[in-house]
Amino acid sequence: MKTKAIALLVLFHFFHAGLMAQEKKPNDTSFEWYDMSLPMEDRIDALISAMTVDEKISQLMNANAPIPRLGVKEYDWWNECLHGVARNGRATVFPQAIALGATFDTKLAFQVATAISDEARAKFNIAQKMGNYHRYAGLTFWTPNVNIFRDPRWGRGQETYGEDPFLTSRIGVAFVEGLQGNNPKYLKAAACAKHFAVHSGPEALRHQFDAVVSSKDLWETYLPAFEALVKEAKVEAVMGAYNRTDGQACCASPFLLQDILTKQWGFKGHIVSDCGAIQDIWKDHHLAKTPAEASSMAIKAAWI
């Protein structure tokens, strides 16, 4: 992972989500990253330079610690909205993704996602006023699931749009565009394409399963939806899967994260692991001897 990518994790809820979309306050004059007159890259560079190594590390979990001396609030990245804002009080419940896919209606998918992001913004504004920076209160949604549903033993199939790569691509792009909005500078909310890649095997084995796939099937079946979300919808995040693909842990695969995602597709957002997937690298896949080594493998795999 690039150093700038680490800073992007820190800054997302300030910059990309538009939380700092106001004039710089007088008491913020020492914080260059609050200066909206500066280019985004300059603001990111300024914050990186101000952070210690420990502070950067503290921002690499789903629950990020605050950095009071730099004016950075705590933030939890864990949130989902596959068919409505999840686990955050009352919200509109739309049909699950598999039913939405069955409509073959991209305009409807866009409208559903737009309604979800409207509610997400409203809930987020309330949470901020209450000082609630905890799980399910943020604007980073681990949605949509654009895996291809081929195996009925997989317990997450209902989260997908079905078995067709083209349909999944079209519905997925529309959903991401509805969630992220069309503001040229800020995201309405952040979408996440998951689970990258070839994640649809037996549910009980998902933490140790090796998805052996031919090159033809990889490129024609499992990757098209991810490519569409990255290139067309400019999805903010991509989540690595629990499983291995052709022997490499998906969250520590230079082939998936560097060669395909970043170099070939030009992905500019941030990469996140599935919950506990870094632990899987050493505990279940046995590709690392220690948790520290597994963490190192994941970071280096995304490093350009």
Side-chain angles (χ1 to χ4, degrees), residues 86 135 167 195 199 301:
R135 186 177 297 179
L167 174 63
H195 310 82
H199 181 62

Side-chain angles (χ1 to χ4, degrees), residues 263-291:
K263 294 180 181 178
Q264 293 191 39
W265 296 348
F267 178 62
K268 301 296 184 182
H270 70 273
I271 298 168
V272 60
S273 71
D274 206 342
C275 302
I278 305 304
Q279 173 180 276
D280 292 343
I281 295 172
W282 65 272
K283 183 178 180 181
D284 296 301
H285 296 308
H286 306 294
L287 298 175
K289 295 180 180 179
T290 65

Side-chain angles (χ1 to χ4, degrees), residues 3-4 21 36 66-67 87 92 103 109 132 157 161 178 186-187 198 200:
T3 304
K4 285 190 177 181
M36 293 182 63
I67 310 177
R87 292 168 283 196
T92 303
T103 68
N132 177 12
Y161 303 120
Y186 297 110
L187 297 177
V198 201
S200 58

Side-chain angles (χ1 to χ4, degrees), residues 125-143:
N125 291 340
I126 293 171
Q128 289 287 300
K129 291 179 181 179
M130 295 173 57
N132 177 12
Y133 309 116
H134 302 142
R135 186 177 297 179
Y136 311 135
L139 284 172
T140 44
F141 291 95
W142 294 342
T143 302

Side-chain angles (χ1 to χ4, degrees), residues 18-304:
L19 303 189
M20 296 311 301
Q22 66 265 341
E23 293 299 320
K24 184 171 64 174
K25 299 176 183 178
N27 61 347
D28 292 333
T29 53
S30 61
F31 295 150
E32 190 176 352
W33 46 92
Y34 275 72
D35 189 346
M36 293 182 63
S37 67
L38 296 176
M40 189 77 72
E41 288 293 321
D42 292 348
R43 296 165 71 187
I44 292 171
D45 287 339
L47 182 53
I48 291 173
S49 298
M51 292 168 65
T52 67
V53 172
D54 286 343
E55 287 170 342
K56 293 174 184 177
I57 293 173
S58 75
Q59 304 304 300
L60 294 178
M61 304 294 288
N62 70 276
N64 287 356
I67 310 177
R69 72 179 190 88
L70 301 180
V72 176
K73 299 178 182 178
E74 65 180 295
Y75 186 82
D76 197 306
W77 296 79
W78 191 331
N79 215 342
E80 303 192 44
C81 62
L82 290 160
H83 60 118
V85 178
R87 292 168 283 196
N88 187 10
R90 293 183 178 181
T92 303
V93 178
F94 294 92
Q96 180 55 287
I98 195 71
L100 183 59
T103 68
F104 286 71
D105 191 335
T106 56
K107 291 183 180 180
L108 178 62
F110 177 82
Q111 291 173 336
V112 167
T114 298
I116 291 172
S117 56
D118 285 346
E119 289 193 9
R121 269 285 171 176
K123 287 179 172 291
F124 176 77
N125 291 340
I126 293 171
Q128 289 287 300
K129 291 179 181 179
M130 295 173 57
N132 177 12
Y133 309 116
H134 302 142
R135 186 177 297 179
Y136 311 135
L139 284 172
T140 44
F141 291 95
W142 294 342
T143 302
N145 183 342
V146 291
N147 291 133
I148 301 303
F149 186 28
R150 277 185 163 181
D151 191 331
R153 295 173 298 173
W154 184 38
R156 304 286 288 277
Q158 78 280 357
E159 294 182 1
T160 76
Y161 303 120
E163 64 181 353
D164 183 77
F166 178 76
L167 174 63
T168 298
S169 299
R170 295 304 93 210
I171 297 289
V173 165
F175 206 90
V176 170
E177 290 176 343
L179 284 181
Q180 297 193 161
N182 58 6
N183 187 290
K185 189 172 183 180
Y186 297 110
L187 297 177
K188 186 178 179 185
C192 175
K194 67 182 187 183
H195 310 82
F196 193 59
V198 201
H199 181 62
S200 58
E203 184 73 2
L205 301 177
R206 64 180 181 168
H207 294 285
Q208 60 196 71
F209 183 68
D210 185 10
V212 178
V213 62
S214 69
S215 179
K216 177 181 175 65
D217 213 15
L218 177 67
W219 288 98
E220 294 185 2
T221 304
Y222 293 104
L223 294 185
F226 286 99
E227 183 176 10
L229 266 59
V230 169
K231 290 184 175 181
E232 297 179 43
K234 310 300 181 185
V235 68
E236 165 59 26
V238 171
M239 178 183 287
Y242 284 125
N243 54 278
R244 282 168 285 156
T245 294
D246 290 336
Q248 290 188 351
C250 292
C251 290
S253 171
F255 174 65
L256 291 176
L257 304 181
Q258 286 189 39
D259 297 345
I260 296 177
L261 185 60
T262 303
K263 294 180 181 178
Q264 293 191 39
W265 296 348
F267 178 62
K268 301 296 184 182
H270 70 273
I271 298 168
V272 60
S273 71
D274 206 342
C275 302
I278 305 304
Q279 173 180 276
D280 292 343
I281 295 172
W282 65 272
K283 183 178 180 181
D284 296 301
H285 296 308
H286 306 294
L287 298 175
K289 295 180 180 179
T290 65
E293 184 182 357
S295 299
S296 176
M297 287 175 62
I299 292 175
K300 289 179 179 178
W303 189 286
I304 297 295

